[in-house]
Amino acid sequence: MIELDNDLQSRQNARDLVRSAKKAQAILATFSQQQIDAIVKNVAQEAAHHAEALAKMASEETGFGNWQDKVLKNRFASLRVYDAIKDIKTVGIIHDDPVKKVMDVGVPLGVICALVPSTNPTSTVIYKTLIALKAGNTIVFSPHPGARQCSWKAVEIVKRAAEAAGAPVGCVSAITELTLEATSELMHSKDVSLILATGGEGMVRAAYASGTPTISGGPGNGPAFIERSANINQAVKDIITSKTFDNGVICASEQSIIVERCIYDEVRRELLAQGAHFMDEREAEKMAALLLRPNGTINPKTVGKSALYLSQLAGFCVSADTRVLIAEQNTVSHNNPYSREKLCPVLGLYVEEDWKAACQRVMTLLTNEGLGHTLVIHTRNQDVIRQFSLEKPVHRILINTPAALGGIGATTNITPALTLGCGAVGGGSSSDNVGPMNLLNIRKVGYGVRSIDELRAPGSHQPSQPTIAPPTDNPNRSILDDARFAEPATAKPMLADDTAGDNRFLAGAVVTNGEEISEQNVERVIRQALAQLGK
């Protein structure tokens, strides 16, 4: 027996999974709404039952965050997401307007390829499974190599739950031979209808480059603006709660704080009182050197680590109760890690003269990184909220809430999701918190409600008639009687071997300038052509 190389085996593994998923989807597409909903409910309940075990497994395998917060994320991805989608109609006629006489029919996409990040390796599996199955799709996962065991375990749990509720075998699966070649095979498969990408920038770019339709999240770099009218104690509490939740691995979490100068002293006192450490210039330089790798990407050694651990890694000491590390800044650039995404409890802090200057700083930060993602404002001033909402190039503007939890829809009524679209401005195809309706095509059914005579009637607001129209005295007159066709034609000799003309039907016949186009001449040309074909 010939043994295949590892990369070939992994490619074959991906092909087999897609083939099985395609067969399963053909069966799933015949299920009623009740059958689909029963499957989704069982998956959500079973996943929630294993929330703690999966959280501990993910924390131990990746070293990111803390398991207690991952329990909350797993329960959010199962129960909260289920509660938001359970009543959505996705099968058959999903909307019927008898007045306008139009109907919408839900059409599943087919097989979904799902990329899983190491920062949320179990909650993402649960969430993506629920929204894919709710829309009548099957799903094949490509776990992150650094979180394969916990992701595989999550896939096993949701797969077993789906099949126990009547889903066809193959509806949920994951690549077991994890290689870049296998993931590439999955993304490029002609039988994959959509890539649902959550992960690093390189992998997301590869998904879009595959040519397969893709919906993705994107890098966050959310500023948190504390405006002078804010409840400063609560604003600081929200920011620290968010930035320390699972040690900052949720991309919607705050990356910098912007304060007005008139409240800076009060904000600083509150930050210190709630566990922030303001790094001095030397400490900030050491931390900056740690946060990014030489190629400008996030250093994985810092991802999801505590403030205490990070300070020790950077080589300076902080008190044991330190929760976040803060570096005061006045510049924004791609080389300044404090003005970029940091998936750990480290924040940059900018002091501005007023809310208009703060507005400009927000724009500079988002342009540097994080376009289309998230920002949070702490304020009681509705005019400030409206101004920011109208102008800022993000698709989640959160008011007086922890950004990490508000952005995913946990502390807000935004759609609960763990894939947060950044829209066209962020290089993505969707600006939504992605849900089952993003994984459906909609077939439009429209009844005829007006005739062409009604369209032509005066006052119908139809385009004006052409300037040259058939004579109005005889509406039945042929268009060939129009004056444009009465001009004598200047014929050109067209020979069978004339390459400038179309001689496909002449077959050696000659039409001269003097000959009329009569029935007899046409019959003669046809006989000549048939004679040529008979040779």
Side-chain angles (χ1 to χ4, degrees):
M1 182 177 177
I2 299 175
E3 207 169 296
L4 296 174
D5 291 338
N6 188 51
D7 61 334
L8 295 177
Q9 285 181 331
S10 66
R11 283 181 178 276
Q12 189 60 50
N13 175 224
R15 289 189 192 121
D16 291 343
L17 292 175
V18 171
R19 191 178 298 116
S20 178
K22 187 178 180 180
K23 291 178 181 178
Q25 200 281 320
I27 299 171
L28 198 66
T30 67
F31 281 22
S32 67
Q33 187 73 69
Q34 291 72 22
Q35 288 174 296
I36 291 289
D37 289 347
I39 292 167
V40 171
K41 181 178 182 179
N42 201 50
V43 169
Q45 291 178 338
E46 190 66 15
H49 180 70
H50 291 86
E52 183 173 324
L54 288 172
K56 290 178 177 178
M57 193 173 179
S59 183
E60 183 178 347
E61 184 176 6
T62 65
F64 299 159
N66 61 79
W67 69 265
Q68 293 88 344
D69 288 341
K70 291 186 188 299
V71 173
L72 193 155
K73 280 200 294 188
N74 287 338
R75 291 182 65 82
F76 167 84
S78 52
L79 300 181
R80 179 73 182 90
V81 169
Y82 170 71
D83 189 57
I85 69 174
K86 65 181 181 181
D87 295 325
I88 297 175
K89 190 160 179 56
T90 56
V91 177
I93 299 172
I94 61 177
H95 175 70
D96 188 1
D97 187 335
V99 175
K100 293 185 177 180
K101 294 187 179 296
V102 292
M103 293 191 304
D104 291 348
V105 177
V107 181
L109 298 183
V111 179
I112 307 293
C113 159
L115 308 182
V116 185
S118 56
T119 48
N120 302 297
T122 57
S123 52
T124 298
V125 167
I126 298 166
Y127 149 71
K128 288 186 177 180
T129 298
L130 289 177
I131 64 172
L133 292 177
K134 177 67 177 181
N137 303 298
T138 54
I139 189 164
V140 181
F141 288 96
S142 176
H144 191 285
R148 67 184 73 195
Q149 297 298 333
C150 60
S151 289
W152 282 338
K153 184 63 177 177
V155 170
E156 179 189 334
I157 289 167
V158 296
K159 172 187 174 181
R160 189 171 60 240
E163 292 178 4
V169 174
C171 64
V172 182
S173 60
I175 294 173
T176 54
E177 302 285 342
L178 269 182
T179 65
L180 285 175
E181 290 82 8
T183 301
S184 177
E185 184 75 29
L186 187 59
M187 292 193 299
H188 285 82
S189 172
K190 63 180 177 60
D191 290 325
V192 166
S193 300
L194 179 82
I195 301 171
L196 193 51
T198 313
E201 189 174 356
M203 186 58 77
V204 170
R205 284 181 178 177
Y208 279 104
S210 71
T212 302
T214 298
I215 295 177
S216 70
N221 188 31
F225 173 39
I226 305 178
E227 192 263 343
R228 67 183 66 188
S229 69
N231 179 332
I232 292 174
N233 173 274
Q234 187 61 47
V236 168
K237 182 178 180 181
D238 286 345
I239 291 169
I240 292 180
T241 295
S242 174
K243 197 57 179 168
T244 57
F245 182 79
D246 209 16
N247 288 341
V249 299
I250 292 181
C251 55
S253 65
E254 299 85 344
Q255 305 300 321
S256 55
I257 302 173
I258 303 166
V259 301
E260 293 189 79
R261 191 171 298 280
C262 62
I263 60 170
Y264 168 70
D265 290 340
E266 188 179 353
V267 170
R268 182 184 173 96
R269 283 195 301 271
E270 198 62 53
L271 283 165
L272 289 169
Q274 295 194 35
H277 172 81
F278 280 74
M279 294 180 282
D280 60 31
E281 188 174 343
R282 180 185 61 86
E283 291 170 342
E285 287 179 358
K286 287 185 175 182
M287 184 58 63
L290 182 65
L291 289 170
L292 297 179
R293 291 186 289 192
N295 64 0
T297 59
I298 293 175
N299 183 355
K301 292 180 181 179
T302 67
V303 174
K305 304 301 183 184
S306 69
L308 184 60
Y309 178 91
L310 290 169
S311 65
Q312 294 170 345
L313 196 62
F316 60 90
C317 295
V318 298
S319 61
D321 60 352
T322 298
R323 302 177 68 196
V324 297
L325 303 169
I326 295 177
E328 295 196 46
Q329 296 292 300
N330 53 30
T331 65
V332 174
S333 77
H334 197 68
N335 296 322
N336 179 0
Y338 296 110
S339 61
R340 293 186 55 192
E341 184 179 44
K342 302 164 289 296
L343 299 178
C344 58
V346 175
L347 290 159
L349 187 143
Y350 296 85
V351 181
E352 304 298 340
E353 292 303 322
D354 54 28
W355 75 267
K356 291 183 179 179
C359 199
Q360 290 302 312
R361 181 64 75 182
V362 166
M363 290 294 293
T364 306
L365 285 163
L366 291 171
T367 302
N368 189 50
E369 187 173 48
L371 279 172
H373 210 290
T374 304
L375 74 83
V376 59
I377 309 169
H378 295 274
T379 181
R380 299 172 191 173
N381 188 326
Q382 291 299 315
D383 290 336
V384 170
I385 294 170
R386 291 178 183 277
Q387 198 69 28
F388 271 68
S389 299
L390 289 170
E391 295 182 355
K392 296 300 166 283
V394 294
H395 298 298
R396 277 155 292 276
I397 296 180
L398 311 171
I399 312 300
N400 302 329
T401 191
L405 299 170
I408 64 174
T411 59
T412 64
N413 284 328
I414 294 173
T415 301
L418 291 174
T419 297
L420 311 182
C422 293
V425 71
S429 60
S430 174
S431 60
D432 291 343
N433 279 25
V434 178
M437 296 309 291
N438 297 99
L439 308 184
L440 272 181
N441 283 326
I442 306 297
R443 178 181 297 135
K444 298 290 182 178
V445 180
Y447 289 78
V449 295
R450 60 190 67 89
S451 71
I452 191 168
D453 291 333
E454 290 174 290
L455 298 179
R456 287 172 173 161
S460 63
H461 305 293
Q462 294 303 307
S464 59
Q465 294 294 319
T467 55
I468 300 177
T472 56
D473 59 338
N474 184 0
N476 297 320
R477 186 175 179 180
S478 169
I479 194 171
L480 295 177
D481 293 330
D482 190 284
R484 290 172 294 173
F485 297 91
E487 297 295 329
T490 303
K492 173 186 174 183
M494 188 162 63
L495 304 177
D497 58 352
D498 184 354
T499 56
D502 187 349
N503 60 4
R504 289 172 295 172
F505 302 100
L506 294 180
V510 177
V511 178
T512 65
N513 270 339
E515 291 184 322
E516 308 183 335
I517 301 299
S518 65
E519 183 178 348
Q520 292 79 8
N521 285 335
V522 169
E523 289 179 354
R524 178 175 58 79
V525 170
I526 291 173
R527 285 196 299 272
Q528 288 178 347
L530 291 174
Q532 289 289 330
L533 292 172
K535 288 182 180 179

